[in-house]
């Protein structure tokens, strides 16, 4: 480790950012769930130092590799992601003194690529419209760099059991404790499935009656796979929400501990994210909006009673979506202001 804790007694400082990972707050939702029976809470993962739930897995996977003696100073950490996992891996690598290489798709916004570079990662931008087995795809580029780089590890979050374990060890127990064991429902967007599966495993061990509800996107295979155990490629088409749903079946997802998947649309999730921010004052990311949208849909079908204690995972911060759901032009370009019930943007007045 580069920065060894070296703190004088009495000094109340963290040795570095990494001791701030986890222990995120649980926040009661009020106006966005007005009139719904039960109590609703957000597990606010943007409180992690890298502003998302992915700090937990980045730290856990890297520290497990350290315990196994796999990492040396200047080892290279490799992953295929432009999203939150990339940023968290870059942050943990930077603090611990490892190199970080991220292979990302050319679909990634310039902002995202710049964020990763700012945190010290080397970024390879790979063409988006090639098959996964094409040597130029970001999967193949990451694998090649891993094979060619002495002292490197490949994180492989979709197929890494340590991803799920990170949430089994931390997020799940935190939620159990913060709800005093009274949680009745967990609502979580599923991407790799690490968050929902790790939390669900822990929570079901405490109380098997807790309902675990995964949130999936239209255009993703997860819900259908959960119901039929078959990967139906006809379910796959492009969608806009980043971070939930998938076009393959990740082994990091434990489908047996998830009771139900519910699908949400890009449009309703975007509006619900904006509405959540405006009603709760929590500046939420796109998938937090998707989780609240799922709660709205579940409420409509009578899922909750006055005794329900529902926890929704809010994975990241709204500031990551300034050029998307919080940008009115982007919303217009998607056609998200076309429908009658769509919330119109606030006015801007230039003086
Ligand atoms: N929301 C966002 C914004 C994410 O980046 C992710 C991770 N892909 C998720 C939700 C889903 O988390 P998980 O991968 O643990 O299922």
């Amino acid at each position: 480790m580069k920065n060894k804790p070296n703190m004088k007694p009495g000094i109340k400082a963290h040795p570095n950012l990494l001791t701030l990972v986890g222990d995120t707050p649980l926040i009661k939702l009020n106006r966005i769930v007005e009139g719904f029976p039960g109590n609703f809470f957000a597990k606010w993962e943007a409180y992690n130092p890298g502003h998302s739930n992915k700090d937990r897995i980045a730290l856990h996977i890297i520290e497990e590799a350290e315990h196994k003696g796999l990492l040396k100073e200047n080892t290279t950490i490799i992953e295929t992601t432009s999203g939150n996992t990339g940023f968290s891996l870059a942050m943990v690598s930077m603090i611990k003194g490892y190199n970080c290489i991220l292979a990302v798709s050319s679909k990634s916004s310039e902002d995202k690529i710049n964020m990763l570079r700012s945190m010290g990662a080397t970024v390879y931008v790979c063409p988006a419209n090639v098959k996964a087995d094409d040597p130029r795809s970001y999967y193949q580029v990451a694998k090649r760099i891993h094979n060619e780089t002495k002292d490197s590890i490949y994180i492989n979050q979709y197929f890494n059991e340590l991803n799920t374990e990170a949430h089994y060890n931390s997020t799940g127990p935190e939620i159990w404790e913060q709800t005093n064991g009274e949680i009745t429902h967990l609502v979580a967007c599923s991407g790799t499935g690490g968050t929902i599966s790790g939390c669900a495993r822990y929570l079901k061990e405490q109380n098997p009656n807790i309902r675990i509800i995964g949130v999936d996107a239209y255009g993703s295979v997860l819900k259908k796979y959960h119901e039929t155990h078959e990967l139906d490629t006809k379910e796959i088409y492009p969608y806009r929400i980043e971070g939930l749903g998938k076009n393959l079946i990740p082994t990091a997802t434990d489908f047996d501990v998830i009771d139900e998947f519910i699908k949400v649309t890009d449009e309703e999730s975007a509006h619900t994210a904006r509405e959540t921010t405006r009603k709760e004052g929590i500046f939420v990311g796109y998938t937090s909006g998707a989780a609240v949208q799922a709660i709205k849909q579940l409420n409509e079908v009578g899922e909750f009673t006055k005794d329900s204690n529902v926890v929704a995972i809010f994975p990241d911060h709204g500031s990551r979506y300034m050029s998307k759901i919080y940008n009115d032009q982007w919303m217009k370009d998607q056609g998200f202001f076309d429908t009658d019930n769509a919330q119109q943007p606030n006015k801007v007045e230039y003086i």
Side-chain angles (χ1 to χ4, degrees), residues 25-242:
L26 191 70
I27 300 168
K28 188 165 188 303
L29 297 174
N30 297 296
R31 288 159 63 194
I32 190 79
V33 289
E34 209 173 302
F36 295 14
N39 295 303
F40 296 82
F41 305 92
K43 181 73 170 154
W44 186 215
E45 289 293 290
Y47 246 58
N48 282 296
H51 309 143
S52 86
N53 57 341
K54 294 297 181 180
D55 282 2
R56 298 176 188 265
I57 75 162
L59 187 61
H60 183 62
I61 295 172
I62 289 177
E63 293 201 331
E64 281 300 301
E66 282 176 340
H67 291 148
K68 287 185 194 138
L70 298 176
L71 303 190
K72 305 180 181 131
E73 197 155 344
N74 291 325
T75 290
T76 301
I77 313 284
I78 299 169
E79 182 58 320
T80 46
T81 166
S82 63
N84 291 328
T85 304
F87 190 74
S88 297
L89 285 169
M91 182 187 83
V92 176
S93 302
M94 160 68 66
I95 293 170
K96 285 178 171 284
Y98 305 122
N99 302 316
C100 182
I101 294 182
L102 302 167
V104 311
S105 143
S106 55
K107 262 194 337 197
S108 314
S109 72
E110 205 182 326
D111 274 357
K112 278 194 165 172
I113 293 166
N114 286 337
M115 266 178 77
L116 302 174
R117 290 174 55 235
S118 304
M119 195 48 96
T122 301
V123 181
Y124 287 78
V125 182
C126 309
N129 301 321
V130 296
K131 288 196 175 138
D133 57 3
D134 186 296
R136 293 164 300 165
S137 82
Y138 54 90
Y139 295 112
Q140 299 306 325
V141 169
K143 270 192 206 157
R144 176 174 60 74
I145 296 170
H146 176 43
N147 291 336
E148 288 171 359
T149 311
K150 198 172 153 279
D151 295 331
S152 66
I153 63 164
Y154 181 32
I155 299 292
N156 207 10
Q157 60 169 339
Y158 283 89
F159 300 95
N160 191 336
E161 177 59 26
L162 294 173
N163 168 2
T164 314
E165 191 179 273
H167 294 286
Y168 175 87
N169 289 349
S170 67
T171 327
E174 287 170 29
I175 292 171
W176 180 251
E177 224 172 78
Q178 287 168 319
T179 57
N180 197 28
E182 290 176 42
I183 175 175
T184 57
H185 296 75
L186 177 75
V187 178
C189 292
S190 200
T192 65
T195 309
I196 190 167
S197 308
C199 290
R201 272 186 197 159
Y202 182 85
L203 292 170
K204 291 239 185 211
E205 278 173 16
Q206 315 310 311
N207 173 2
N209 296 325
I210 297 170
R211 293 257 300 144
I212 307 293
I213 296 152
V215 185
D216 190 19
Y218 287 96
S220 151
V221 297
L222 300 177
K223 177 173 162 58
K224 180 104 184 247
Y225 182 81
H226 182 249
E227 288 160 5
T228 63
H229 296 284
E230 273 169 39
L231 197 173
D232 182 356
T233 51
K234 290 197 291 296
E235 291 281 302
I236 302 172
Y237 53 87
Y239 54 90
R240 298 178 189 85
I241 315 181
E242 296 159 67

Side-chain angles (χ1 to χ4, degrees), residues 249-266:
I249 305 302
T251 58
T253 308
D254 181 351
F255 285 88
D256 292 342
V257 290
I258 300 169
D259 292 298
E260 190 189 328
F261 274 95
I262 181 164
K263 287 206 179 199
V264 292
T265 67
D266 290 336

